[in-house]
Amino acid sequence: MTLVAGVDSSTQSCKVVVLDAGSGTLVREGRAAHPDGTEVHPDHWWRALSAAFDDAGGLADVSALSVGGQQHGMVLLDHAGEVVRPALLWNDTRSAGAAGALTDEVGAEDFARRTGLVPVASFTITKVRWVRDNEPELADRVAAVVLPHDWLTWRLRGYGPADSSPLGPDLDQLTTDRSDASGTGYWSPSSGEYDLDLFKLAFGRDAREAAGNAGPCDPGTVVLPRVLGPGDSAGAIHPGCFGPGTAASGPRILLGAGAGDNAAAALGLGAQPGDVVVSVGTSGTVFSVASRAVADPSGTVAGFADASGEYLPIAVTLNAARVLSSVAGILGVDFDELSRLALDAEPGAGGVVLVPYFEGERTPNLPHAKASFHGLSIASSTRSNLARAAIEGMLCGLSGGLDSLRAQGGAATRLLLIGGAVQNPAVQAIAAQVFDLPVVIPSPGEYVARGAAVQAAWAHDGNRPQWSVAVNAAPEPDFQPAIRQNYLRASSHIDPGN
């Protein structure tokens, strides 16, 4: 049996899965926590990766591995391979002003045409602009700009600072993949190349793509990772990268290209063109596998590339599972009781609508809006209606993301609903009433890490594996358009705030 491993280096933790390359069956797994915060020194990820390998029983019998990672995080390296400052993560919003400035300088339509997206504070390009403007003494030291999964892959291959890596700081060995590159704001999914003029506009210095082998270069030019294609190998894990006797030591382990987290999840789910994935986490994401690049000048849909050679348009909502925990707290119940209450109410919750903008909202773009209940009367103000309105409101917000994808011409034939909250029976039943697509709930699993393992097997065997995905539920379609109509009517009256 050939074993492959996948890593999910997320905001909260590092997860490792070891799978049978032939069937995709889980053999063992491990995890380790990451520190909280919106900026984190990458050394924390490195230590967590080693601990997660140990927790998963080591890699001595593993033939290939790949790393999926949180998108957009900015890791800055100097010529010695040292990290210049803690990485700014996707959820660090200090660069919101930089996003607005870049959009004004380039124009939203031109930005979307060139990169598939319009800058918001999440994207890497806004973070490099923020560093240029606010930390110029650090910006002068920068020799390379990479993403979290790029840095981990580079370190696994044995590169890094001279005093803590076997092979030293060869920046020309930096690699990434098309899915993660497409979230930077200076790479084009349609051309498959960096837009170096945009990077220079943001950072004020020239950049070049890593050459793959060291050679003389202008020391003032910033190195960007070489972009690998689907199924490509980044090299191999160096047996001494963590030091002798660690869980990563052993025979040659091939390294896949790695991927951004949403693209890795799509691989792990086996998503195909026409599939829409709705992920219900702290925030909500709605993305689909598409056969053409998307450019939305409104910025509602980010036109990323995927990790299979297709494209991954995505819309994000800020309010997802926390809507349920907030209303459960108001009602003084746990999730199980919230589900029971919601299923006691009729579809439409007796006219009660929750517009769930507890944290403002991104789709639609209402960052200063607040949540509100509508349609309350003496008769309708029941615990069951409030519980159901919470679930309907959360899912209707996500269905707005689906509308945005469709507006960009995306095909939608099936909806895959993932995330811890979707195991709630009421969420499953109500999803079949809110979405006008067949809804499938895959069994709970680490789909980002599983998708990275798909890449590992692909690099090892030369073919993308076709692993089956177990289905936990497939509720009977029961589309109730009035639920969404009531929600749209209520949300049209929301005060956008200041």
Side-chain angles (χ1 to χ4, degrees):
M1 179 169 62
T2 300
L3 299 182
V4 295
V7 174
D8 173 12
S9 183
S10 71
T11 313
Q12 296 84 15
S13 64
C14 180
K15 280 100 47 179
V16 175
V17 299
V18 177
L19 308 179
D20 173 9
S23 65
T25 301
L26 178 67
V27 175
R28 58 185 190 267
E29 59 188 327
R31 68 175 55 220
H34 287 159
D36 293 332
T38 64
E39 66 172 32
V40 175
H41 196 288
D43 284 349
H44 289 290
W45 305 333
W46 188 238
R47 289 191 289 269
L49 182 64
S50 179
F53 286 158
D54 285 332
D55 194 44
L59 303 180
D61 54 353
V62 169
S63 297
L65 177 143
S66 192
V67 180
Q70 54 178 302
Q71 288 190 266
H72 315 311
M74 178 193 67
V75 181
L76 305 177
L77 303 176
D78 64 16
H79 285 285
E82 299 283 356
V83 174
V84 171
R85 68 167 334 278
L88 295 183
L89 307 186
W90 65 273
N91 55 351
D92 192 299
T93 59
R94 73 186 72 180
S95 59
L102 286 165
T103 303
D104 290 343
E105 291 164 22
V106 177
E109 187 168 347
D110 196 32
F111 229 117
R113 178 184 60 80
R114 293 168 69 172
T115 68
L117 53 82
V118 177
V120 295
S122 297
F123 300 145
T124 316
I125 192 169
T126 71
K127 301 178 190 305
V128 298
R129 166 59 70 86
W130 184 89
V131 169
R132 186 201 78 172
D133 291 345
N134 293 275
E135 298 176 340
E137 71 288 353
L138 296 182
D140 290 343
R141 288 178 51 200
V142 172
V145 180
V146 303
L147 302 168
H149 108 252
D150 311 341
W151 185 81
L152 287 168
T153 299
W154 188 63
R155 295 301 313 272
L156 282 169
R157 292 173 61 207
Y159 299 100
D163 61 354
S164 60
S165 65
L167 301 179
D170 186 350
L171 301 180
D172 269 295
Q173 295 298 329
L174 288 163
T175 61
T176 190
D177 88 302
R178 65 196 297 273
S179 71
D180 228 359
S182 68
T184 60
Y186 45 81
W187 188 85
S188 168
S190 56
S191 72
E193 297 178 347
Y194 284 112
D195 191 320
L196 298 177
D197 289 337
L198 279 179
F199 182 88
K200 185 174 183 179
L201 176 70
F203 199 51
R205 288 169 56 193
D206 288 324
R208 64 177 179 86
E209 187 170 358
N213 38 58
C217 64
D218 180 353
T221 300
V222 177
V223 176
L224 305 176
R226 182 165 54 96
V227 182
L228 302 177
D232 284 352
S233 169
I237 293 180
H238 193 286
C241 63
F242 289 109
T246 67
S249 299
R252 175 182 166 87
I253 301 171
L254 194 69
L255 268 172
D261 48 8
N262 289 306
L267 280 182
L269 289 163
Q272 301 292 330
D275 285 339
V276 177
V277 179
V278 175
S279 177
V280 183
T282 303
S283 59
T285 56
V286 184
F287 58 89
S288 63
V289 178
S291 56
R292 64 174 185 85
V294 168
D296 177 11
S298 76
T300 303
V301 175
F304 297 159
D306 83 343
S308 76
E310 303 284 357
Y311 301 91
L312 201 81
I314 184 170
V316 177
T317 68
L318 298 181
N319 300 278
R322 287 182 298 183
V323 174
L324 307 188
S325 59
S326 295
V327 176
I330 292 169
L331 297 175
V333 299
D334 60 16
F335 279 168
D336 290 340
E337 181 64 8
L338 185 79
S339 177
R340 188 194 66 75
L341 286 169
L343 291 174
D344 281 347
E346 294 295 319
V352 178
V353 176
L354 171 63
V355 181
Y357 299 162
F358 289 94
E359 300 292 334
E361 193 45 271
R362 179 168 161 184
T363 305
N365 186 24
L366 296 170
H368 304 295
K370 296 292 183 284
S372 54
F373 279 101
H374 300 253
L376 293 171
S377 67
I378 296 297
S380 68
S381 299
T382 67
R383 288 161 59 82
S384 292
N385 282 337
L386 293 175
R388 186 177 185 101
I391 297 174
E392 289 183 349
M394 177 193 74
L395 293 172
C396 283
L398 289 163
S399 71
L402 174 58
D403 289 346
S404 297
L405 294 186
R406 283 171 158 163
Q408 295 301 314
T413 58
R414 182 178 68 148
L415 190 141
L416 302 170
L417 195 60
I418 63 173
V422 308
Q423 303 308 314
N424 183 302
V427 173
Q428 295 179 6
I430 295 170
Q433 298 171 338
V434 169
F435 295 106
D436 60 344
L437 291 174
V439 174
V440 174
I441 295 94
S443 295
E446 299 292 350
Y447 285 104
V448 174
R450 182 180 174 87
V454 168
Q455 280 193 314
W458 195 347
H460 184 267
D461 297 334
N463 297 298
R464 178 180 175 180
Q466 301 299 317
W467 297 333
S468 62
V469 175
V471 172
N472 187 52
E476 192 70 25
D478 186 25
F479 180 50
Q480 307 262 347
I483 295 174
R484 186 80 198 291
Q485 290 166 5
N486 290 343
Y487 178 86
L488 291 172
R489 190 158 44 245
S491 62
S492 69
H493 299 296
I494 289 296
D495 182 351
N498 298 315

